[in-house]
Amino acid sequence: MKCECGREAIERVGGRYYCKECYSKRYLSLVERSIRKYGILKRGEKVLAAISGGKDSVAMIAALKELEDKLGIKLEALHINLGIGEYSRKSEEVSRKVCEELDVPLHVVYLSEYGFTIGDVKRKACSVCGNAKRYIMNRFAREEGFDVIATGHCAEDIVANVLKNLYSGNFEWSEKLLPRIEGYFKFVSKAKPLYEIGEKENLLFVLSKGITFLPDECPKAPDPKWKELVYEIEKKIPGFKKGVLRSLVRREKVESELKSCKICGEPTSAEICQFCRNVKKFGKVRKIPL
Ligand code: SF4
Ligand code: ZN
Protein backbone atom coordinates (compact mmCIF):
# COMPACT_ATOMS: atom_id res chain seq x y z
CA MET A 1 0.00 0.00 0.00
CA LYS A 2 1.12 3.54 -0.75
CA CYS A 3 0.89 6.70 1.36
CA GLU A 4 -0.81 9.74 -0.24
CA CYS A 5 2.68 11.14 -0.88
CA GLY A 6 3.56 8.10 -3.01
CA ARG A 7 5.99 6.48 -0.56
CA GLU A 8 5.55 2.99 0.86
CA ALA A 9 3.00 2.98 3.71
CA ILE A 10 3.83 1.49 7.13
CA GLU A 11 0.45 1.72 8.82
CA ARG A 12 -3.21 2.48 8.36
CA VAL A 13 -4.50 5.11 10.78
CA GLY A 14 -8.05 6.45 10.75
CA GLY A 15 -8.78 5.03 7.30
CA ARG A 16 -5.61 6.43 5.68
CA TYR A 17 -2.30 4.79 4.88
CA TYR A 18 0.80 6.58 6.13
CA CYS A 19 4.49 6.33 5.30
CA LYS A 20 7.07 6.93 8.07
CA GLU A 21 7.58 10.60 7.20
CA CYS A 22 3.89 11.50 6.90
CA TYR A 23 3.06 9.58 10.08
CA SER A 24 5.74 11.46 12.06
CA LYS A 25 4.39 14.77 10.77
CA ARG A 26 0.86 13.80 11.77
CA TYR A 27 2.01 12.69 15.23
CA LEU A 28 3.94 15.92 15.86
CA SER A 29 1.00 18.05 14.81
CA LEU A 30 -1.31 16.09 17.16
CA VAL A 31 1.11 16.58 20.08
CA GLU A 32 1.54 20.27 19.28
CA ARG A 33 -2.22 20.81 18.98
CA SER A 34 -2.85 19.11 22.29
CA ILE A 35 -0.09 21.13 24.04
CA ARG A 36 -1.59 24.39 22.74
CA LYS A 37 -5.22 23.40 23.37
CA TYR A 38 -4.68 22.59 27.05
CA GLY A 39 -1.82 25.06 27.69
CA ILE A 40 0.34 22.09 28.71
CA LEU A 41 3.64 23.95 28.20
CA LYS A 42 4.22 27.69 28.06
CA ARG A 43 6.61 29.77 25.97
CA GLY A 44 9.89 30.49 27.74
CA GLU A 45 9.62 27.56 30.15
CA LYS A 46 12.58 25.41 31.18
CA VAL A 47 11.17 21.88 30.90
CA LEU A 48 12.50 18.83 32.74
CA ALA A 49 11.24 15.75 30.87
CA ALA A 50 11.28 12.48 32.81
CA ILE A 51 12.63 9.56 30.78
CA SER A 52 12.41 5.87 31.70
CA GLY A 53 13.54 4.56 28.32
CA GLY A 54 10.11 3.06 27.49
CA LYS A 55 8.27 3.95 24.26
CA ASP A 56 6.03 6.63 25.81
CA SER A 57 8.70 8.74 27.51
CA VAL A 58 11.03 8.33 24.52
CA ALA A 59 8.25 9.47 22.16
CA MET A 60 7.54 12.45 24.42
CA ILE A 61 11.17 13.60 24.54
CA ALA A 62 11.67 13.09 20.81
CA ALA A 63 8.50 15.07 20.03
CA LEU A 64 9.38 17.88 22.47
CA LYS A 65 12.86 18.10 20.99
CA GLU A 66 11.37 18.56 17.50
CA LEU A 67 8.88 21.14 18.80
CA GLU A 68 11.37 22.90 21.12
CA ASP A 69 11.85 26.04 18.99
CA LYS A 70 8.25 26.22 17.82
CA LEU A 71 6.96 26.06 21.39
CA GLY A 72 9.73 28.34 22.69
CA ILE A 73 10.76 25.95 25.47
CA LYS A 74 14.14 24.76 26.73
CA LEU A 75 14.31 20.99 27.12
CA GLU A 76 16.42 18.83 29.45
CA ALA A 77 15.82 15.28 30.70
CA LEU A 78 15.93 13.40 33.99
CA HIS A 79 16.34 9.66 34.42
CA ILE A 80 15.87 8.10 37.85
CA ASN A 81 17.65 4.79 38.34
CA LEU A 82 15.26 2.92 40.64
CA GLY A 83 17.54 -0.02 41.37
CA ILE A 84 15.29 -2.75 39.89
CA GLY A 85 18.13 -5.08 38.86
CA GLU A 86 18.77 -5.65 35.18
CA TYR A 87 15.68 -3.65 34.16
CA SER A 88 17.06 -0.44 35.72
CA ARG A 89 20.50 -1.04 34.22
CA LYS A 90 18.96 -1.29 30.73
CA SER A 91 16.60 1.66 31.37
CA GLU A 92 19.51 3.92 32.22
CA GLU A 93 21.56 2.72 29.26
CA VAL A 94 18.69 3.35 26.82
CA SER A 95 17.86 6.75 28.35
CA ARG A 96 21.48 7.83 27.98
CA LYS A 97 21.56 6.63 24.37
CA VAL A 98 18.27 8.34 23.44
CA CYS A 99 19.32 11.67 24.94
CA GLU A 100 22.64 11.46 23.15
CA GLU A 101 20.90 10.68 19.83
CA LEU A 102 18.48 13.55 20.32
CA ASP A 103 21.07 15.92 21.80
CA VAL A 104 19.05 16.55 24.96
CA PRO A 105 21.07 17.26 28.16
CA LEU A 106 20.40 14.40 30.59
CA HIS A 107 20.59 14.28 34.40
CA VAL A 108 20.67 10.91 36.19
CA VAL A 109 19.70 10.44 39.84
CA TYR A 110 20.11 7.11 41.68
CA LEU A 111 17.43 6.22 44.22
CA SER A 112 20.17 4.27 46.07
CA GLU A 113 21.69 7.66 47.00
CA TYR A 114 18.76 7.97 49.39
CA GLY A 115 19.54 4.62 51.01
CA PHE A 116 17.10 2.20 49.37
CA THR A 117 16.07 0.79 45.99
CA ILE A 118 12.76 -0.41 44.56
CA GLY A 119 14.42 -3.81 44.12
CA ASP A 120 14.40 -4.07 47.93
CA VAL A 121 10.66 -3.35 48.24
CA LYS A 122 8.69 -6.58 48.39
CA ARG A 123 5.09 -5.37 48.72
CA LYS A 124 3.27 -2.48 46.99
CA ALA A 125 6.44 -1.66 45.03
CA CYS A 126 4.59 0.60 42.56
CA SER A 127 3.18 2.79 45.27
CA VAL A 128 6.63 3.24 46.91
CA CYS A 129 8.18 3.72 43.47
CA GLY A 130 5.59 6.29 42.34
CA ASN A 131 6.15 8.26 45.52
CA ALA A 132 9.95 8.11 45.13
CA LYS A 133 9.77 9.26 41.50
CA ARG A 134 7.47 12.19 42.32
CA TYR A 135 9.68 13.20 45.26
CA ILE A 136 12.95 13.11 43.32
CA MET A 137 11.51 14.75 40.18
CA ASN A 138 10.01 17.61 42.17
CA ARG A 139 13.02 18.21 44.39
CA PHE A 140 15.46 18.02 41.49
CA ALA A 141 13.36 20.31 39.27
CA ARG A 142 12.91 22.91 42.01
CA GLU A 143 16.54 22.92 43.12
CA GLU A 144 17.80 23.13 39.54
CA GLY A 145 15.43 25.94 38.55
CA PHE A 146 13.09 24.14 36.13
CA ASP A 147 9.62 25.62 35.54
CA VAL A 148 7.77 22.42 34.76
CA ILE A 149 8.16 18.61 34.87
CA ALA A 150 6.90 16.72 31.81
CA THR A 151 5.97 13.04 32.08
CA GLY A 152 5.10 10.53 29.36
CA HIS A 153 1.66 9.46 30.61
CA CYS A 154 -0.38 8.42 27.58
CA ALA A 155 -4.16 8.50 27.08
CA GLU A 156 -4.69 4.86 28.18
CA ASP A 157 -2.66 5.37 31.40
CA ILE A 158 -4.81 8.35 32.30
CA VAL A 159 -8.19 6.79 31.50
CA ALA A 160 -7.24 3.55 33.33
CA ASN A 161 -6.36 5.63 36.40
CA VAL A 162 -9.63 7.57 36.23
CA LEU A 163 -11.53 4.24 36.25
CA LYS A 164 -9.39 2.93 39.13
CA ASN A 165 -10.01 6.09 41.18
CA LEU A 166 -13.73 5.83 40.53
CA TYR A 167 -13.73 2.19 41.62
CA SER A 168 -11.73 2.79 44.81
CA GLY A 169 -13.78 5.80 45.90
CA ASN A 170 -10.93 8.25 45.34
CA PHE A 171 -12.24 10.08 42.31
CA GLU A 172 -10.82 13.38 43.59
CA TRP A 173 -7.33 11.94 42.98
CA SER A 174 -8.11 12.26 39.28
CA GLU A 175 -7.24 15.95 39.35
CA LYS A 176 -3.61 14.77 39.45
CA LEU A 177 -4.26 13.31 35.99
CA LEU A 178 -5.06 16.64 34.33
CA PRO A 179 -2.86 17.69 31.38
CA ARG A 180 -1.28 20.50 33.41
CA ILE A 181 -1.14 21.13 37.16
CA GLU A 182 0.19 24.50 38.20
CA GLY A 183 2.88 24.55 40.86
CA TYR A 184 2.16 25.74 44.40
CA PHE A 185 4.06 25.86 47.68
CA LYS A 186 7.20 23.76 46.99
CA PHE A 187 5.62 21.87 44.11
CA VAL A 188 6.85 22.52 40.58
CA SER A 189 4.21 22.57 37.79
CA LYS A 190 3.51 19.19 36.13
CA ALA A 191 2.68 18.58 32.48
CA LYS A 192 1.51 15.62 30.41
CA PRO A 193 2.26 16.46 26.77
CA LEU A 194 0.87 13.07 25.61
CA TYR A 195 -2.47 13.53 27.43
CA GLU A 196 -4.52 12.80 24.32
CA ILE A 197 -2.05 10.50 22.56
CA GLY A 198 -2.45 6.72 22.65
CA GLU A 199 0.39 4.30 23.40
CA LYS A 200 0.16 2.71 19.94
CA GLU A 201 0.66 6.14 18.37
CA ASN A 202 3.74 6.63 20.56
CA LEU A 203 5.15 3.28 19.53
CA LEU A 204 4.57 3.97 15.85
CA PHE A 205 6.28 7.35 16.20
CA VAL A 206 9.47 5.97 17.79
CA LEU A 207 9.51 3.14 15.24
CA SER A 208 9.02 5.46 12.29
CA LYS A 209 11.76 7.78 13.59
CA GLY A 210 14.07 4.83 14.27
CA ILE A 211 14.76 6.03 17.85
CA THR A 212 16.07 3.56 20.44
CA PHE A 213 13.66 2.52 23.19
CA LEU A 214 13.39 -0.21 25.81
CA PRO A 215 10.65 -2.72 24.91
CA ASP A 216 10.95 -4.55 28.28
CA GLU A 217 8.25 -4.13 30.92
CA CYS A 218 9.29 -3.41 34.50
CA PRO A 219 9.29 -6.82 36.31
CA LYS A 220 7.26 -5.22 39.10
CA ALA A 221 4.58 -3.87 36.76
CA PRO A 222 1.06 -4.70 37.95
CA ASP A 223 -1.47 -6.77 36.03
CA PRO A 224 -2.47 -4.61 33.02
CA LYS A 225 -6.17 -5.40 33.53
CA TRP A 226 -7.25 -1.76 33.85
CA LYS A 227 -5.60 -0.80 30.59
CA GLU A 228 -7.10 -3.87 28.92
CA LEU A 229 -10.47 -2.74 30.18
CA VAL A 230 -9.96 0.65 28.52
CA TYR A 231 -9.30 -1.11 25.20
CA GLU A 232 -12.38 -3.33 25.68
CA ILE A 233 -14.65 -0.36 26.36
CA GLU A 234 -13.16 1.62 23.47
CA LYS A 235 -14.02 -1.30 21.18
CA LYS A 236 -17.65 -1.21 22.32
CA ILE A 237 -17.92 2.57 22.65
CA PRO A 238 -15.57 4.20 20.10
CA GLY A 239 -14.47 7.60 21.39
CA PHE A 240 -14.77 6.54 25.05
CA LYS A 241 -11.14 7.47 25.85
CA LYS A 242 -11.43 10.94 24.34
CA GLY A 243 -14.75 11.45 26.13
CA VAL A 244 -13.23 10.66 29.54
CA LEU A 245 -10.15 12.84 28.90
CA ARG A 246 -12.24 15.81 27.82
CA SER A 247 -14.76 15.50 30.61
CA LEU A 248 -11.93 15.44 33.17
CA VAL A 249 -10.74 18.81 31.89
CA ARG A 250 -14.29 20.20 31.61
CA ARG A 251 -15.16 19.14 35.17
CA GLU A 252 -12.06 20.89 36.53
CA LYS A 253 -12.90 24.05 34.61
CA VAL A 254 -16.46 24.13 35.91
CA GLU A 255 -15.24 23.63 39.50
CA SER A 256 -12.56 26.28 39.26
CA GLU A 257 -14.96 28.79 37.76
CA LEU A 258 -17.75 28.48 40.32
CA LYS A 259 -19.32 31.72 41.47
CA SER A 260 -22.44 32.89 43.27
CA CYS A 261 -25.63 33.36 41.28
CA LYS A 262 -26.45 37.08 40.86
CA ILE A 263 -30.08 36.47 41.82
CA CYS A 264 -30.12 33.89 44.60
CA GLY A 265 -26.46 33.59 45.64
CA GLU A 266 -26.33 29.80 45.23
CA PRO A 267 -23.24 28.29 43.54
CA THR A 268 -23.20 28.23 39.74
CA SER A 269 -20.74 28.31 36.85
CA ALA A 270 -22.80 30.99 35.07
CA GLU A 271 -23.80 34.53 36.08
CA ILE A 272 -27.32 33.37 36.88
CA CYS A 273 -27.91 29.77 38.01
CA GLN A 274 -29.97 27.34 35.96
CA PHE A 275 -32.68 27.19 38.63
CA CYS A 276 -33.21 30.98 38.59
CA ARG A 277 -33.27 30.88 34.79
CA ASN A 278 -35.94 28.17 34.97
CA VAL A 279 -37.93 30.18 37.53
CA LYS A 280 -37.80 33.17 35.18
CA LYS A 281 -38.84 31.06 32.23
CA PHE A 282 -41.57 28.92 33.76
CA GLY A 283 -42.59 30.66 36.98
CA LYS A 284 -45.72 32.68 37.31
CA VAL A 285 -44.18 34.83 40.03
CA ARG A 286 -41.38 36.76 38.38
CA LYS A 287 -39.58 37.75 41.57
CA ILE A 288 -37.77 35.14 43.68
CA PRO A 289 -38.77 35.41 47.36
CA LEU A 290 -35.52 35.65 49.34
FE1 SF4 B 1 8.02 1.57 39.46
FE2 SF4 B 1 5.89 -0.04 39.36
FE3 SF4 B 1 6.56 1.47 37.24
FE4 SF4 B 1 8.09 -0.62 37.97
S1 SF4 B 1 5.95 -0.69 37.22
S2 SF4 B 1 8.79 1.43 37.38
S3 SF4 B 1 7.89 -0.53 40.19
S4 SF4 B 1 5.86 2.22 39.23
ZN1 ZN C 1 3.74 9.83 2.95
Side-chain angles (χ1 to χ4, degrees):
M1 271 298 162
K2 295 263 188 240
C3 172
E4 279 179 7
C5 73
R7 280 184 285 242
E8 211 50 51
I10 51 152
E11 186 70 37
R12 189 171 173 219
V13 186
R16 206 203 116 167
Y17 286 96
Y18 285 89
C19 69
K20 282 181 190 173
E21 289 77 4
C22 293
Y23 178 78
S24 300
K25 254 194 233 157
R26 172 190 183 267
Y27 178 89
L28 287 172
S29 78
L30 284 180
V31 174
E32 187 186 348
R33 200 178 67 192
S34 172
I35 290 175
R36 293 194 195 277
K37 179 162 102 185
Y38 296 116
I40 295 176
L41 297 171
K42 297 174 187 166
R43 190 160 282 279
E45 278 186 328
K46 197 175 162 201
V47 181
L48 182 67
I51 179 168
S52 68
K55 63 183 186 325
D56 299 319
S57 62
V58 169
M60 171 187 68
I61 291 194
L64 291 183
K65 181 65 193 173
E66 293 221 25
L67 297 169
E68 197 175 16
D69 292 341
K70 237 177 162 185
L71 295 171
I73 56 168
K74 200 173 167 307
L75 181 68
E76 294 188 23
L78 172 69
H79 174 76
I80 302 171
N81 184 315
L82 300 160
I84 311 175
E86 183 60 9
Y87 170 74
S88 286
R89 196 195 57 72
K90 282 199 220 160
S91 284
E92 183 184 332
E93 191 183 295
V94 169
S95 300
R96 286 188 185 276
K97 194 153 178 260
V98 170
C99 289
E100 206 184 300
E101 279 172 24
L102 297 173
D103 194 23
V104 174
L106 172 71
H107 309 270
V108 179
V109 173
Y110 296 85
L111 179 60
S112 58
E113 288 168 19
Y114 290 86
F116 76 106
T117 66
I118 299 303
D120 302 330
V121 180
K122 298 287 169 265
R123 289 185 60 245
K124 298 203 169 166
C126 287
S127 138
V128 179
C129 181
N131 170 271
K133 286 191 282 197
R134 286 191 298 273
Y135 178 93
I136 293 174
M137 281 191 299
N138 188 66
R139 192 166 168 181
F140 185 89
R142 193 186 64 242
E143 289 177 355
E144 298 297 319
F146 286 90
D147 301 299
V148 59
I149 299 163
T151 52
H153 293 93
C154 65
E156 291 83 10
D157 291 335
I158 295 161
V159 176
N161 275 309
V162 170
L163 294 180
K164 242 193 270 181
N165 291 343
L166 196 60
Y167 169 76
S168 61
N170 296 306
F171 190 72
E172 67 284 1
W173 290 358
S174 300
E175 61 183 54
K176 295 226 170 82
L177 301 168
L178 285 164
R180 167 132 184 159
I181 304 159
E182 292 305 332
Y184 61 97
F185 188 48
K186 291 186 177 185
F187 290 109
V188 176
S189 298
K190 311 256 171 15
K192 297 180 193 67
L194 306 183
Y195 184 75
E196 277 190 331
I197 318 288
E199 58 178 355
K200 287 183 181 155
E201 293 172 290
N202 294 337
L203 177 64
L204 211 51
F205 178 63
V206 290
L207 289 175
S208 58
K209 286 294 227 179
I211 309 165
T212 315
F213 71 100
L214 181 66
D216 309 17
E217 271 282 342
C218 169
K220 296 201 179 256
D223 187 340
K225 56 180 182 272
W226 288 97
K227 236 192 225 180
E228 284 166 12
L229 185 66
V230 173
Y231 281 109
E232 282 299 312
I233 304 178
E234 183 72 30
K235 235 193 272 163
K236 292 214 157 73
I237 311 170
F240 173 77
K241 256 183 335 190
K242 279 225 159 83
V244 172
L245 294 168
R246 285 180 187 165
S247 69
L248 200 61
V249 174
R250 215 178 307 126
R251 181 180 165 271
E252 169 70 13
K253 246 189 162 171
V254 168
E255 277 185 10
S256 65
E257 285 169 4
L258 280 183
K259 42 195 154 203
S260 299
C261 169
K262 281 207 168 140
I263 297 180
C264 69
E266 288 301 303
T268 172
S269 55
E271 294 296 309
I272 294 171
C273 76
Q274 187 62 47
F275 184 75
C276 284
R277 277 184 275 163
N278 288 344
V279 170
K280 254 190 168 173
K281 193 168 167 193
F282 304 114
K284 293 199 171 57
V285 185
R286 295 281 151 172
K287 201 167 175 306
I288 297 169
L290 284 176

